[in-house]
Amino acid sequence: MRPYFSGTFGNASSVHSFGRDAKMALEKSREAIAKAIGAQSGEIFFTSGGTESDNFAIRGVAHAARKHGKNHIVTSAAEHHAVLEPCLHAVVPQSGTQACEKLKEDGFDVTILPVDSSGLVAPEQVRDAITDKTCLVSIMHANNEVGTIYPIKEIATVAHPPTADGVVVHTDAVQTLGKIPIDVNELGVDLMTISAHKLYGPKGIGALYIRRGVEIDSLLFGGGQERGRRPGTENVPLAVGFAKAVELAIAEMDVESKRLASLRDKLELKIRESFPQAIINGHPTERLPNIVNISFDNSKIQLEGEMLLMNLDLRGIAVTSGSACTSGSMQPSHVLLAMGRDEKTAKASLRFAFGKSNTEADVDSVVESLHQIVTQMSN
Ligand code: PLP
């Protein structure tokens, strides 16, 4: 990335040679990213990250579909907020219940499918939810909290019956790029969200894959960058960093995913042995190699995820708790609630995500620390 912050600093939209050099780096990056997911480079649109790509996909398709009298979106209760929120704001920028009411007034409808206890949505649920008014199905490729991998290929198949037209399938693949193989044609999706920082790329850049021919309106208006679909001066250093990160992650994926999966399995085994009150969240087989999510069953032990997190942090162990601070109080994870955990159990949850720097010794020290903390907190 470094040369593009200084030496090759031209504006990629300028026609002079400095601009052309920057443009060349941008297009090479686009090509590398496209290749990694089996797309054409003209189908990759750079954005500021996963959140923007999800918003672009959902609001862009909803706006375009209204012209054809379609006004229904299908999604799931376990989606990231970057999908759920724009589904509720597909047509009007309002918040909370106001959004739902305004949405109804505007005649826009969202079906939020329930998930099972492992976080899964079945393709049949999607098929049954689709009506002749449906313009978009948005189901994530893998869940960021519990790691469950969704049957996207089967979901895309039921959403695209040969006899019907007009349902666009979007998947948020922020968690899967570089972790498991992805091919947009194999999956059969029309739109795919990806983000650089989940695979050691720079923060603040992502992309939306838009299959050629998909009707989608822009969220931003301005110059003609990104073929007019996402105007604004292109961020060349970040695009170069994104492409390099993708290249490295794909090259290392087979070996690294196996290594991460063995750390995940070791941690799960040790947690099962050491904490009979712990529930392992997520699908037993269809799951990401790097995520372990556990809840302490509130009927057996009373713990707060936030306190566990802070105590682990004091020992240099970085985890997430799954709860979010909204209006000054801790809210349990919407994903764990959707999977059927009760509120108190959901609040006593931790997500461990393994990465490049983790080793087997880390698993031992995490379990040992957690054991000491849980003993301390339950006394
Ligand atoms: N979607 C998923 C599944 C995520 O995990 C994240 C980030 O955590 C996002 C979207 C948002 O991506 P970004 O942080 O690049 O905006």
Side-chain angles (χ1 to χ4, degrees), residues 48-54 79-83 140-145 172-175 193-198 203-206 351:
S48 64
T51 303
E52 185 187 329
S53 296
D54 284 341
E79 297 299 310
H80 192 276
H81 285 296
V83 164
M140 68 205 319
H141 196 197
N143 188 274
N144 50 303
E145 292 191 28
D172 177 331
V174 165
Q175 292 290 333
T193 291
I194 52 178
S195 179
H197 70 98
K198 288 293 188 285
K203 296 171 185 71
I205 187 158
R351 183 190 67 167

Side-chain angles (χ1 to χ4, degrees), residues 293-310:
N293 187 310
I294 62 164
S295 298
F296 287 95
D297 185 343
N298 186 259
S299 65
K300 298 184 178 149
I301 188 167
Q302 286 75 50
L303 294 168
E304 279 287 340
E306 251 353 67
M307 287 304 289
L308 292 169
L309 180 155
M310 281 189 259

Side-chain angles (χ1 to χ4, degrees), residues 59-129:
R59 302 190 69 191
V61 168
H63 275 258
R66 270 159 67 91
K67 292 172 220 150
H68 306 295
K70 296 208 172 202
N71 64 353
H72 178 228
I73 296 173
V74 178
T75 187
S76 92
E79 297 299 310
H80 192 276
H81 285 296
V83 164
L84 285 174
E85 289 293 317
C87 279
L88 296 178
H89 296 68
V91 203
V92 272
Q94 299 274 336
S95 65
T97 47
Q98 243 184 334
C100 293
E101 278 161 23
K102 188 78 176 77
L103 213 59
K104 278 203 195 106
E105 260 174 48
D106 269 41
F108 223 92
D109 197 12
V110 182
T111 299
I112 301 179
L113 296 172
V115 297
D116 71 13
S117 60
S118 67
L120 267 187
V121 172
E124 300 73 46
Q125 285 173 273
V126 175
R127 186 197 56 214
D128 295 346

